[in-house]
Amino acid sequence: MAEYKVVITARSFGKADDKAYDCLRKAGCEWVKLNEADGPVEEQLRDAIKDADALIAGLEDIDAETINRAEKLKVISRYGVGYDKVDLAAARQKGIQVTITPGANGDSVADLAVALMLDVARNVTIMDGSIKARSQKRPQGLEMFEKTLGIIGAGRIGQGVGRRCRGFNMKILAYDVFEDESFKKETGAEYVDFETLLRESDFITVHSPLTEETHNMISTEQFKIMKKDAILVNTARGGVIDEEALYAALESGEIRGAALDATVDEPPYDSPLMGCENCILTPHAGAGTREASSRMSLMAAENAVCVLEGGECRFNVAK
């Protein structure tokens, strides 16, 4: 008989290889993976969590009501780095550790951020759509070469974007509470205040967590500061950008374009941004590579096992 029950809601957990499941198996775990085909995952979770020892969680909301239904839960192991959808206060109150997988998807997200910049700058999605509609639009694009990149949140992923963009001989501006001297030396990055970054950057990439301080940190006033040809990319969290203000800026031509892999509502089917040709929307797929899936799956499994076996996981954010 299995020693522990693990509930899994992260959709791509274990899809790349068997390393994560092998980790759980060796620790004496049995698991139940919830699927959308069986109904809304959040509703299934309310029942499944009752007798679970561990939860390996995706992007669904894990509120106090759900947490309080758990009778013996020891750990919520997030498959990823964001934890804004987990009620940390409720978890702390019940002595549940909440863990994340920092670094596991950094290269994958950085790759996508650069891909989205290029797509918006060169109108790739627009031209693909026109060709498939038997039309040959050739909208004028922008070059990335020797332009200025602004990084909002220059942590591991933001720095990864900066390193990639050095290949385009871009000037790097960074806005962060911590100045990384090695990153400055490696890339020539200059740390500046928020307004300076907005005013001088041709491409702006967002890598900030969603907190009370960062909620809608880019809104109407910030779009007024940006260049008319500015391109804004968000592969971090929905809510950092005020999407109503972004829609107005795109429609009025206040900025050139945007690409969002993270939106307030996911998927953003009811957002007015759906109708903006100069806004690319992707389904929070920054970590959607085989390599990132393998790393995140194994790390999420290892975090859960660490706690189940009586340890304090070093990636616990509910301390």
Side-chain angles (χ1 to χ4, degrees):
M1 183 176 177
E3 190 172 352
Y4 306 110
K5 177 183 176 181
V6 179
V7 174
I8 302 168
T9 60
R11 285 177 294 180
S12 56
F13 177 87
K15 286 188 175 181
D17 51 48
D18 294 329
K19 293 178 183 177
Y21 286 120
D22 287 342
C23 175
L24 295 177
R25 189 179 294 109
K26 289 176 183 176
C29 300
E30 66 176 14
W31 54 84
V32 176
K33 190 168 185 180
L34 307 184
N35 297 298
E36 291 180 334
D38 298 321
V41 169
E42 290 175 3
E43 292 181 11
Q44 294 182 61
L45 180 59
R46 292 191 183 98
D47 290 326
I49 203 171
K50 289 180 182 178
D51 62 346
D53 296 287
L55 168 63
I56 296 178
L59 293 170
E60 60 283 337
D61 287 317
I62 305 172
D63 56 20
E65 180 184 352
T66 300
I67 291 172
N68 289 331
R69 292 173 72 90
E71 297 174 359
K72 56 177 184 173
L73 193 70
K74 298 177 182 66
V75 57
I76 298 170
S77 177
R78 271 282 295 114
Y79 178 83
V81 295
Y83 52 89
D84 50 282
K85 293 191 176 182
V86 180
D87 191 320
L88 292 185
R92 291 190 192 103
Q93 190 171 17
K94 296 200 69 171
I96 298 169
Q97 293 188 46
V98 179
T99 65
I100 58 174
T101 59
N105 65 355
D107 286 330
S108 177
V109 176
D111 282 355
L112 180 63
V114 176
L116 291 174
M117 290 180 206
L118 281 166
D119 193 334
V120 178
R122 295 306 308 271
N123 304 295
V124 177
T125 295
I126 293 173
M127 291 189 290
D128 173 74
S130 71
I131 286 289
K132 290 175 179 176
R134 297 182 177 274
S135 174
Q136 291 197 50
K137 288 184 181 179
R138 292 189 180 89
Q140 188 179 67
L142 289 178
E143 296 178 0
M144 282 180 61
F145 189 69
E146 295 190 339
K147 294 299 199 314
T148 297
L149 171 70
I151 304 171
I152 299 175
R156 185 180 291 106
I157 298 174
Q159 289 184 18
V161 176
R163 292 187 181 96
R164 286 158 175 75
C165 287
R166 284 298 298 148
F168 291 91
N169 202 29
M170 297 181 82
K171 177 181 178 181
I172 310 294
L173 302 180
Y175 172 73
D176 201 294
V177 294
F178 172 73
E179 294 192 16
D180 189 318
E181 293 299 324
S182 62
F183 177 60
K184 289 166 67 174
K185 184 176 180 180
E186 178 186 354
T187 64
E190 178 185 355
Y191 283 79
V192 296
D193 62 79
F194 191 45
E195 185 171 325
T196 298
L197 183 145
L198 296 176
R199 185 188 311 110
E200 296 186 6
S201 298
D202 301 293
F203 295 82
I204 299 172
T205 182
V206 178
H207 302 284
S208 298
L210 179 62
T211 65
E212 291 183 6
E213 291 75 24
T214 64
H215 180 253
N216 285 348
M217 71 184 297
I218 301 177
S219 191
T220 303
E221 292 305 311
Q222 287 69 44
F223 288 120
K224 290 179 180 177
I225 298 171
M226 294 181 192
K227 295 181 178 182
K228 294 292 183 183
D229 269 338
I231 290 173
L232 176 65
V233 172
N234 182 14
T235 54
R237 278 289 180 269
V240 176
I241 297 172
D242 181 339
E243 292 178 9
E244 290 186 9
L246 173 60
Y247 175 77
L250 291 170
E251 287 293 288
S252 66
E254 201 159 37
I255 65 171
R256 183 182 184 91
L260 308 181
D261 186 50
T263 51
V264 173
D265 295 318
E266 294 179 352
Y269 294 153
D270 296 321
S271 170
L273 294 171
M274 291 279 288
C276 290
E277 191 177 50
N278 55 344
C279 183
I280 296 170
L281 299 169
T282 53
H284 209 137
T289 64
R290 182 184 298 108
E291 296 86 349
S293 177
S294 176
R295 288 190 295 265
M296 286 197 300
S297 295
L298 180 57
M299 196 170 179
E302 290 174 339
N303 289 347
V305 168
C306 173
V307 178
L308 290 176
E309 294 182 341
E312 172 73 30
C313 180
R314 65 191 179 108
F315 302 119
N316 177 22
V317 295
K319 296 178 182 179

